[in-house]
Each structure stands twice: as structure tokens, then as C-alpha cells.
Amino acid sequence: MTIVSNDPSWWPVINSNIFFTCWLVAAGVVVVYDWVLTLGQEIELIWRQRWSLMTVLYLVIRYIGIPYSVISAYSNMPPVSVTDAVSNIMNYVINLTNVVVAAMLGVIMISRLYAMYQRSWMMLLFLVIICLAVNIACGAIAVIALEHVDAQLLTSMVWMLNTTWEVLVLCLSVCVAVKHFRDLRRLGPSTGSITGDCFRVLIQSHVLYFASFAGVSCIQLGLLSPGVLKSQSMGAQIINGAFQVFLSVQMFVLGPRLILSVRECHAKLVARFDAETSMNSFFFEERVHVSTSSTV
């Protein structure tokens, strides 16, 4: 419903919405900028490779971020007037996208841990059960939150569940990485250099992802406090706007980069293996040629 009023008391609210919209636009610009930066890698490592579940997850997460940013900015733009029905649809789309992307990021984490634990079915079953429980609970809470005007507690519950899941995944990653590097130290540096490089890439990218998620979670929990939530101060507005940028980065930038980092590492290892194989073949053929010539 469109409300026209010349009451000066509304001016701080309007200015706050305009300021918040600018941050949403900035979040969309960051998503598009990262897509442009990684477009070459995407073409080489995604489009030109055999399609798999990770390919589908990458494309969905990467390309759903742009319309998500547009809808978020449009729904909060003060000069734009929309009906209540359209506003409700936008809110449903935004919340549904948050739940779906969180579930997809969980699938990426499960696939990474499944590979790190040497395709252990027990670990896969454990992770799937925990991830399903967390995402079903978050989805149910998100649906309930849409029906309530004051949903601070419900929103904080969603973030606490997601944070618990991320902490669990990080602990499992660190445990298997520590065990693996101890085995490499015991067996010698020449043993398992390829898998060591893969583990190093997995751990580095995962720690970066978790650090971003932890930062976003802390900001979100801080924004849910009554003093910050109802404040119109410049500091509160900056924190709220920065949260939107960090959230977009965590959802639509770091997720695809997790897949790109692993595929890039795998491509380099394959190229190194092919180079070593061709070099060994060259020396073998040269040695056979020399020995044959000496016998004649």
C-alpha cells in the first residue's frame, strides 16, 4: 500500500531506507564484480568440464545471487511503490533463497568432508543426517517467521543452528587434516605430496569460508539486539548495511570459490602428473634407444 505523507517525522526513516538501499546495491555490485573476475576460471573449470552435482550447485549459487540482489534492493527502495501482494512475494523469495542457498552450501561442505574422510559412508551418513535436521529446522523457523512481525528470536535461532553446523564442519575438517599431516610427517615428505596439496587447499579455503560465516553470524546476532535493531543512528545503519554486503559475499561468492579452488587444484595436479608421466616416458624411450644402438 502506498502512503503519501509530508510529515517531517518520516524523513529520518526515508533517509535510512535510502542509505540501506545503497548498501544493498553495493552488495549486488560485489557479487557481479566477483563473477567478472572469475569468469575465465568458470569457463575453463565449469563449462568445459563434465557436468556433475558440483557443477549444478556452482551455477545455481553463482547466478541466483544477481537476481537476489536486485530483488533485495528493489524491495527496499523508497521511491518505488509496490502492492502488499508484491511485497509479500518478494519477502518470500528472499527468505526462500536464503534457505535454499544455505542447504546447497551444506551439500558442498558434505562433499568436501566426504572426500577428506576417504569416502567414508559412516561419515557421509552422519553429515547428511545433521545437515537435513539443521536445514529442515531452519526452513520451518523461516516459514513461521514470515507470519510474525516481531521475529527476532526466530531469526536468531536460525543463525545459531547454522553456526552450530559450521562449527561442526570446521572441527571435522581440522581433525582429519591434522591426522593427515601427521601421517605425512611420519612417512616422509615424498609420500602423498599430491594429496597433501589437496588437503592444504581444502583447509585454506574452508577456514576462509568459516571465518566469513563466523563474522556474518556475529554481526547478525548483534543486529538482533533491541538497542541496535530499533536505532536510527549512523553507526547502526553502517553495521546493518555492511552485514548485507558480507552476507552476499558469504552466500554467493565464497560458495562458488570453494568449488573453483578445488577444481583448479585438481587441474594443476593433473597437469603436473601428465608432465611427469611424459618426462618419464621420454627418458624411458631414450634409454631404450641408446641401449639398442650400443648392442648393434
Side-chain angles (χ1 to χ4, degrees), residues 39-116:
L39 185 58
Q41 291 178 301
E42 178 182 318
I43 295 175
E44 185 66 28
L45 302 174
I46 301 297
W47 292 104
R48 293 182 179 177
Q49 304 298 323
R50 188 180 64 179
W51 281 57
S52 63
L53 176 61
M54 290 296 106
T55 303
V56 176
L57 292 177
Y58 174 90
L59 294 176
V60 172
I61 295 175
R62 171 63 82 187
Y63 287 97
I64 204 175
I66 298 175
Y68 175 90
S69 301
V70 173
I71 293 174
S72 298
Y74 186 83
S75 62
N76 289 275
M77 196 173 296
V80 178
S81 60
V82 296
T83 62
D84 292 341
V86 174
S87 178
N88 291 333
I89 292 175
M90 288 182 178
N91 290 331
Y92 275 107
V93 169
I94 292 173
N95 284 276
L96 180 62
T97 303
N98 291 335
V99 175
V100 171
V101 172
M104 289 183 174
L105 293 175
V107 173
I108 295 175
M109 292 295 107
I110 290 175
S111 65
R112 290 162 65 90
L113 282 174
Y114 179 58
M116 294 173 72

Side-chain angles (χ1 to χ4, degrees), residues 173-200:
S173 301
V174 171
C175 288
V176 69
V178 170
K179 179 179 181 299
H180 176 77
F181 289 126
R182 283 181 178 175
D183 293 340
L184 289 181
R185 183 179 299 178
R186 179 172 53 86
L187 297 175
S190 61
T191 305
S193 60
I194 293 180
T195 55
D197 293 338
C198 288
F199 264 76
R200 193 171 294 108

Side-chain angles (χ1 to χ4, degrees), residues 124-158:
L124 177 63
L125 182 62
F126 171 74
L127 292 173
V128 169
I129 292 175
I130 298 299
C131 184
L132 281 177
V134 170
N135 283 279
I136 290 174
C138 290
I141 293 173
V143 172
I144 297 173
L146 290 174
E147 306 298 331
H148 293 77
V149 178
D150 188 10
Q152 299 179 29
L153 177 60
L154 297 177
T155 305
S156 61
M157 290 174 61
V158 170

Side-chain angles (χ1 to χ4, degrees), residues 3-4 19 51 63 74-75 81 101-102 118 122 130 189 195 197 207 214-215 227 242 245 252 255 258 280 295:
I3 300 176
V4 180
F19 187 73
W51 281 57
Y63 287 97
Y74 186 83
S75 62
S81 60
V101 172
Q118 300 179 353
M122 293 296 295
I130 298 299
T195 55
D197 293 338
V207 169
V245 177
F252 306 116
L258 290 176
N280 292 334
T295 57

Side-chain angles (χ1 to χ4, degrees), residues 112 198-209 258:
R112 290 162 65 90
C198 288
F199 264 76
R200 193 171 294 108
V201 171
L202 288 171
I203 290 299
Q204 289 176 351
S205 58
H206 191 96
V207 169
L208 177 62
Y209 173 83
L258 290 176

